[in-house]
């Protein structure tokens, strides 16, 4: 009977799933114009942080202001990722100069691609702290190298989330329920791993580690 009480495990799981499903659906709708997808991903991170901090989620008007304020900064970060991914793909799939130079290009592209995969998931929560694309990439790079096991787990979670819908939809009943909540659940996991890695890397004060600032409509990136 304790499972059905308001504080029971079943009701907590239902509440968590509902919040993830609702936030994921909103994120998908906000990403449909494509150009707003980077800002919508920042909004997804901000929503997860606000909920974990016990704050009220952003409403409709606040969401519109949030997207408008962070549209261009988020696009700069997305363009950085697109440029890095393009260079890696060109190095891997493009014409090879042959000989030792061909092997050099191949090895460099593999290392660059693996590094980018480690940095990319954490660059979004890092951007939520810095508000600047290059600073976020640098912070995510340094943190990923210092806490590579957590960075690998975050990258694996994102890759699994990208492929999970193709498998989950084949599972009757439970599969679609998991797919609906997948984006927000993945964002929550990536944020948790990032915060834990940052807390371990940053020496805590006597009062404990300082929480990360949130990107909100009232206070934009500095």
């Amino acid at each position: 009977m304790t499972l059905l009480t308001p504080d029971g495990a079943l009701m907590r799981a239902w509440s968590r799933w509902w919040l993830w499903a609702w936030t994921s659906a909103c994120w998908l709708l906000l990403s449909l114009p494509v150009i707003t997808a980077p800002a919508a991903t920042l909004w997804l991170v901000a929503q997860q942080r606000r909920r974990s901090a016990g704050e009220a989620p952003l409403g409709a008007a606040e969401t519109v202001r949030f997207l408008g304020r962070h549209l261009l900064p988020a696009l700069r970060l997305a363009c950085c990722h697109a440029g890095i991914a393009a260079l890696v793909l060109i190095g891997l799939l493009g014409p090879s100069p042959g000989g030792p130079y061909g092997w050099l290009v191949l090895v460099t592209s593999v290392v660059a691609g693996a590094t980018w995969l480690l940095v990319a998931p954490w660059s979004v929560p890092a951007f939520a702290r810095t508000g600047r694309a290059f600073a976020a990439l640098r912070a995510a790079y340094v943190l990923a190298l210092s806490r590579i096991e957590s960075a690998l787990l975050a990258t694996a979670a994102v890759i699994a989330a990208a492929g999970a819908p193709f498998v989950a939809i084949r599972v009757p009943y439970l599969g679609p329920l998991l797919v609906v909540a997948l984006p927000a659940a993945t964002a929550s996991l990536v944020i948790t791993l990032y915060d834990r890695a940052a807390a371990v890397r940053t020496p805590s004060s006597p009062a404990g580690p300082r929480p990360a600032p949130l990107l909100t409509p009232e206070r934009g990136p500095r």
Side-chain angles (χ1 to χ4, degrees):
M1 296 298 293
T2 57
L3 290 175
L4 301 179
T5 60
D7 295 331
L10 183 60
M11 296 305 296
R12 289 199 305 269
W14 166 257
S15 177
R16 180 65 59 86
W17 175 86
W18 173 252
L19 291 175
W20 281 344
W22 172 252
T23 308
S24 298
C26 292
W27 169 78
L28 181 60
L29 290 176
L30 294 174
S31 300
L32 286 180
V34 180
I35 195 173
T36 61
T41 303
L42 280 179
W43 173 88
L44 182 64
V45 170
Q47 291 288 66
Q48 299 308 306
R49 286 200 179 281
R50 292 176 70 90
R51 287 200 170 102
S52 63
E55 301 178 9
L58 298 176
E62 292 174 318
T63 295
V64 172
R65 290 196 294 269
F66 184 99
L67 294 178
R69 179 166 297 183
H70 301 103
L71 180 62
L72 292 180
L75 280 175
R76 286 195 289 269
L77 179 63
C79 288
C80 289
H81 282 304
I84 296 171
L87 290 175
V88 171
L89 290 176
I90 291 173
L92 292 175
L93 305 178
S96 173
Y101 293 104
W103 282 106
L104 179 61
V105 171
L106 179 61
V107 172
T108 302
S109 300
V110 170
V111 173
T115 304
W116 173 70
L117 287 175
L118 289 177
V119 171
W122 278 356
S123 65
V124 179
F127 185 87
R129 287 186 171 184
T130 64
R132 297 185 298 273
F134 290 109
L137 289 172
R138 180 182 179 277
Y141 174 78
V142 172
L143 188 60
L145 290 185
S146 64
R147 304 296 298 175
I148 192 169
E149 69 285 351
S150 297
L152 282 171
L153 184 56
T155 299
V158 173
I159 295 176
F166 300 100
V167 178
I169 57 176
R170 301 176 182 272
V171 180
Y173 306 111
L174 185 60
L177 295 179
L178 296 176
V179 170
V180 170
L182 194 57
T186 305
S188 181
L189 176 60
V190 171
I191 293 169
T192 300
L193 292 171
Y194 176 86
D195 288 345
R196 289 178 180 175
V200 171
R201 177 175 173 78
T202 304
S204 59
S205 64
R210 298 174 61 186
L214 301 179
L215 286 176
T216 63
E218 292 77 19
R219 183 179 64 188
R222 297 180 180 178

